[in-house]
Amino acid sequence: MMGKYTAWKMKAAICDDTVEDAAFIEKHIKDYFMTKSIPYECNVYQSSKALWYEIEDGQAFDLLFLDIEMQELNGFELAAKIQETAPDILIIFVSAYESYVYKSFEFRPFRFIPKQQMESMITQALEAAFREIVSRTSEVYIAENQQGIEKIPFRKIVYIWREGKYLYIEKTDATRCKVRSSLKKISEKLPEDEFVWVDRGYLCNLYHVKQIKDNQMVLSTGQQLYIGERRLAQLKHQIMEYWQAGTDNGKWSTND
């Protein structure tokens, strides 16, 4: 496997103010990636604010093991900030309190691991996270315009809107790509179970939907899209199905 991934390195972080728990997680990360011969680096933080400052400054991570009970910023508060700034980071909550699992659904973590079950669940979570991150590298849309071509991973597309003969692809890094096409044509190149029509002028990635409030679709970037009355009921149904699928496949459950 080393030959396949030499140009890529898994970047993980652990944020836990309990030194023993952080060391336990770090050892499992090291054992997993070294056994698989996968290049990786792992940073450990006892301070949630220290981690946040680094992410805010542009430090990139693929995967984060995040304790919920912490000083300064708790895990939920930090997750909310991360989703606004770096929504592609896979967050795995770890907590001594299993009652937090339902509250954690609001932040759409990749996994929730009770600390009492870390020994049995960490390796499976790492395996699933690695598959997810690698799969993203092949799930891309190729955008072409007068400036050239750009490869945009599906997960980095927040929504797409039309103005005249052009489409604007809004991305998670707050930039946009302009292409000359129709929404119908671009929708045929995107996974239909993730991209939905908000109305005739917008396509939205369900991965980035946090909630529907009144007639507004609230996105992970903080942006809001208006939903017409005719589409509201159907969109609510599609979003519930998407979230339920995430729960059913184990992403948001306490057990694999």
Side-chain angles (χ1 to χ4, degrees), residues 27-41:
K27 180 182 183 301
H28 276 72
I29 290 174
K30 177 182 178 181
D31 290 348
Y32 176 79
F33 288 117
M34 290 189 69
T35 299
K36 299 288 186 179
S37 297
I38 300 168
Y40 82 100
E41 64 181 55

Side-chain angles (χ1 to χ4, degrees), residues 172-185:
T172 55
D173 60 2
T175 65
R176 68 168 57 128
C177 178
K178 177 181 177 182
V179 296
R180 184 162 180 165
S181 183
S182 69
L183 280 172
K184 185 176 185 303
K185 286 182 179 179

Side-chain angles (χ1 to χ4, degrees), residues 60-86:
F61 296 106
D62 298 301
L63 176 64
L64 169 61
F65 282 85
L66 181 57
D67 188 18
I68 294 174
E69 288 281 335
M70 288 189 295
Q71 302 294 321
E72 303 172 331
L73 294 171
N74 65 45
F76 292 147
E77 293 170 333
L78 180 54
K81 286 179 171 289
I82 289 172
Q83 286 186 338
E84 293 180 0
T85 304

Side-chain angles (χ1 to χ4, degrees), residues 66-163:
L66 181 57
D67 188 18
I68 294 174
E69 288 281 335
M70 288 189 295
Q71 302 294 321
E72 303 172 331
L73 294 171
N74 65 45
F76 292 147
E77 293 170 333
L78 180 54
K81 286 179 171 289
I82 289 172
Q83 286 186 338
E84 293 180 0
T85 304
D88 291 331
I89 297 176
L90 295 185
I91 294 176
I92 296 178
F93 282 127
V94 292
S95 178
Y97 303 96
E98 291 191 45
S99 58
Y100 280 138
V101 66
Y102 299 107
K103 174 69 175 176
S104 76
F105 287 174
E106 296 178 21
F107 306 93
R108 296 168 55 231
F110 186 73
R111 286 287 194 277
F112 181 102
I113 299 180
K115 287 194 172 184
Q116 300 88 332
Q117 299 181 46
M118 287 199 297
E119 180 74 48
S120 62
M121 295 181 68
I122 285 181
T123 299
Q124 290 178 325
L126 286 167
E127 182 71 41
F130 177 66
R131 289 197 305 267
E132 170 71 13
I133 291 165
V134 170
S135 72
R136 292 180 181 182
T137 64
S138 61
E139 296 175 348
V140 298
Y141 172 73
I142 307 299
E144 184 175 1
N145 55 32
Q146 292 179 340
Q147 285 71 47
I149 60 174
E150 180 180 358
K151 182 171 67 172
I152 308 174
F154 294 153
R155 287 288 172 88
K156 290 189 179 293
I157 300 174
V158 183
Y159 68 96
I160 305 167
W161 56 283
R162 183 191 68 204
E163 186 175 81

